[in-house]
Amino acid sequence: MREIEFDEVVKAVRDIIVHCGTDLPQDTYDALKEAMENEKSLVSKEVIRQILENADIAKDEKRPLCQDTGLAVFFVKVGDEVRIKGGLLRDAINKGTEQGYKDAYLRASTCEPFSRANLKDTVGYNLPAIIHFDIVAGDKIDIEYAAKGGGSENVSRARVFPPAAGKEGIIEYVKEVISDAGGNPCPPITVGVGIGGTFEKACISSKHALFRDIGSVNEDPEMAEMEGNILEEINKLGIGAMGMGGTKTALAVHIESNPCHIASLPVSVNVQCHSSRHTHITI
Amino acid sequence: MANYTLTTPLTSEDTRQLKAGDTVLLNGTIYTARDAAHKRLVELLEKGEELPFDIEGSVIYFVGPTPPKPGDPIGSAGPTTSYRMDSYSPTMLQYGSKGMIGKGKRNQVVKDACKEYDGIYFGATGGAGALLGKKITSAEVIAYPELGPEAVRKITVKDFPVTVINDTYGNDLYQMGREQYEVKD
């Protein structure tokens, strides 16, 4: 059994949060650059130019990319031959989150649902983090992290279709969600689509799909083809960067598909803004 | 589409020359407020009480900045999604405010109020918080400090880049832009 010090996890989590707050990942930066070059609308082209300039300033001067520094979302795979020495893994991730958000001058955006009171004085600075655990074989801990902003989360939707809806029904649904969202989720966006499983499995899959690098290819050729089809349809909507009209509304569509009940076809659409701050570490 | 440089407070003369799609560099004093602050400001107006700032010709920026780093006036400060202010903005315009800065579409009531009261809805680039924060040269909390990032701040901006989304003639850049680039099968 391998032992990992509690504080080692805290520091690793703190470091990725600080890094992601100010440094746009290379996959996102490259995708935006390509979008700017291919965008037909001059207004949208200028918006993407500002987004890239913003990324350069944020990186050089260590300023948060966006004032919405998100809720901290983690997908954690814990090896069955590893244990944390000196505390619980969940507590270590939360502690690292709080330290990272404080150290990098990121905004605490968590609040109580109805009083809207900010939880930083009670629960902790931008706590609790949203953590999805899984147990796998091995003696390592694999941590995927993304900062998830509110504007793009607010347009996300899920629905359980009858099986007859099929691929066409899903494509129409994703189009409808993105069309209704317009410029609100800060396009050019990444669209995560969770298909199958149960209601909540589809939702979690659509979230996890956003953690994949933009430009990566789906291992399932059928899903890869469907991703391409949906992306094409979305970019026909004309929404453009920040909704100002244009040809690049989405940078990518990522699908995660799961087996589902014979009676159901669950679908979830989770959207990430152009500031797709995500990373991945193994301890 | 034209480019303008304007200094606040704005007059009807300033706002009536602007058309959806124009770009503007804003200078001078503007005020920050999100949903929670708007609720309180509109309650004051409806009770006939004084606002913590002069509303005549004012420009309101929908933003909740990050905490400033030591030595900076403000942290990253890009726009938040504006529809959450839709129920308050018409009252603000009615009492003399002339501009709003945010991102995302507004409802018809807001667009109508822009026509009626010579108001402009400007869009700033969402997610460009570092860039936009640097255009803010001073910031001071003037009301509701307990709201944290949502407190009302008096800020000074220099060449703050915005685009006219809704003008005083009922035009909407989001609709116009989308119609231009939508591909129908």
Side-chain angles (χ1 to χ4, degrees):
Chain A
M1 186 65 97
R2 180 182 166 218
E3 288 193 333
I4 299 175
E5 293 288 339
F6 181 87
D7 287 345
E8 188 185 339
V9 178
V10 172
K11 183 170 184 315
V13 170
R14 179 255 176 219
D15 288 351
I16 56 174
I17 284 177
V18 169
H19 181 79
C20 275
T22 56
D23 289 45
L24 198 64
Q26 198 61 43
D27 64 306
T28 310
Y29 192 93
D30 291 346
L32 285 164
K33 211 165 172 192
E34 195 186 329
M36 182 178 74
E37 282 156 14
N38 296 322
E39 175 57 65
K40 293 198 174 72
S41 152
L42 293 180
V43 179
S44 275
K45 214 187 242 298
E46 165 59 18
V47 169
I48 306 175
R49 191 201 62 73
Q50 282 186 24
I51 290 168
L52 289 168
E53 187 190 346
N54 181 69
D56 294 339
I57 291 171
K59 187 176 183 176
D60 293 346
E61 302 181 16
K62 297 290 162 223
R63 294 173 186 276
L65 283 151
C66 178
Q67 75 292 335
D68 187 349
T69 51
L71 294 194
V73 184
F74 296 90
F75 282 87
V76 183
K77 291 195 193 89
V78 188
D80 59 357
E81 292 171 49
V82 63
R83 68 178 289 271
I84 305 298
K85 197 177 159 195
L88 295 176
L89 181 56
R90 180 183 296 279
D91 294 343
I93 292 170
N94 275 319
K95 193 172 175 191
T97 299
E98 178 162 30
Q99 282 187 6
Y101 270 77
K102 280 184 175 168
D103 289 352
Y105 296 91
L106 307 182
R107 195 178 77 185
S109 302
T110 47
C111 71
E112 201 277 330
F114 299 115
S115 72
R116 310 306 292 174
N118 194 305
L119 298 175
K120 68 182 178 187
D121 297 324
T122 50
V123 178
Y125 200 86
N126 215 41
L127 296 184
I130 309 293
I131 311 172
H132 304 285
F133 285 108
D134 196 2
I135 297 173
V136 297
D139 62 358
K140 294 186 170 56
I141 300 174
D142 184 275
I143 300 177
E144 291 176 281
Y145 164 71
K148 192 65 188 64
S152 53
E153 201 71 0
N154 286 357
V155 302
S156 302
R157 274 195 239 159
R159 183 170 164 186
V160 182
F161 280 91
K167 275 187 193 168
E168 280 183 16
I170 290 176
I171 293 173
E172 274 309 305
Y173 180 63
V174 179
K175 254 178 80 176
E176 179 192 310
V177 172
I178 303 306
S179 177
D180 289 352
N184 288 8
C186 288
I189 51 177
T190 306
V191 183
V193 184
I195 300 174
T198 48
F199 181 76
E200 87 285 4
K201 180 75 178 171
C203 292
I204 293 169
S205 297
S206 68
K207 174 74 73 198
H208 190 242
L210 297 174
F211 286 58
R212 218 177 90 198
D213 278 354
I214 300 169
S216 61
V217 179
N218 198 315
E219 289 169 8
D220 179 340
E222 192 185 354
M223 289 304 111
E225 187 189 347
M226 194 168 167
E227 287 176 357
N229 292 340
I230 298 177
L231 182 63
E232 196 181 325
E233 288 301 316
I234 289 173
N235 284 331
K236 282 184 191 169
L237 292 170
I239 294 167
M242 291 314 299
M244 301 212 184
T247 54
K248 294 287 170 192
T249 302
L251 299 172
V253 175
H254 293 165
I255 298 176
E256 282 196 16
S257 175
N258 309 283
C260 55
H261 193 283
I262 49 173
S264 322
L265 180 56
V267 184
S268 169
V269 183
N270 195 201
V271 179
Q272 178 63 297
C273 62
H274 61 70
S275 196
S276 178
R277 293 152 286 179
H278 63 105
T279 193
H280 172 226
I281 51 164
T282 303
I283 303 173
Chain B
M1 282 177 269
N3 307 310
Y4 295 89
T5 300
L6 293 174
T7 302
T8 61
L10 300 183
T11 62
S12 288
E13 198 182 331
D14 290 327
T15 58
R16 279 188 202 150
Q17 67 183 331
L18 301 174
K19 300 270 166 56
D22 289 346
T23 59
V24 179
L25 295 176
L26 277 177
N27 290 278
T29 299
I30 60 180
Y31 300 94
T32 75
R34 287 168 49 115
D35 340 12
H38 267 83
K39 186 167 185 286
R40 298 189 191 190
L41 295 172
V42 165
E43 277 169 9
L44 288 178
L45 288 172
E46 285 170 347
K47 279 192 264 175
E49 291 175 18
E50 288 275 302
L51 288 196
F53 58 88
D54 185 1
I55 195 169
E56 190 56 44
S58 62
V59 175
I60 311 294
Y61 186 17
F62 307 150
V63 59
T66 58
K69 286 166 75 174
D72 287 345
I74 201 162
S76 291
T80 193
T81 314
S82 306
Y83 72 87
R84 300 195 313 270
M85 271 57 73
D86 280 359
S87 52
Y88 308 115
S89 292
T91 309
M92 298 292 285
L93 294 167
Q94 185 192 340
Y95 282 86
S97 179
K98 284 280 182 274
M100 303 160 277
I101 307 171
K103 69 173 178 85
K105 54 198 165 189
R106 311 306 302 272
N107 69 14
Q108 194 57 44
V109 184
V110 176
K111 293 183 211 175
D112 291 345
C114 284
K115 265 177 95 168
E116 188 170 354
Y117 304 112
D118 292 334
I120 296 284
Y121 171 50
F122 297 104
T125 299
L131 183 151
L132 294 170
K134 284 191 76 176
K135 308 288 183 188
I136 298 170
T137 56
S138 75
E140 175 196 354
V141 173
I142 57 165
Y144 319 136
E146 67 277 13
L147 294 179
E150 300 204 49
V152 173
R153 287 172 173 78
K154 176 183 180 179
I155 65 176
T156 311
V157 292
K158 183 160 171 38
D159 291 338
F160 191 93
V162 291
T163 304
V164 177
I165 306 294
N166 296 115
D167 60 23
T168 61
Y169 303 97
N171 297 311
D172 184 337
L173 177 65
Y174 292 141
Q175 278 174 13
M176 291 155 57
R178 193 161 166 178
E179 277 161 17
Q180 193 178 344
Y181 290 97
E182 187 174 6
V183 180
K184 288 188 176 133
D185 293 321

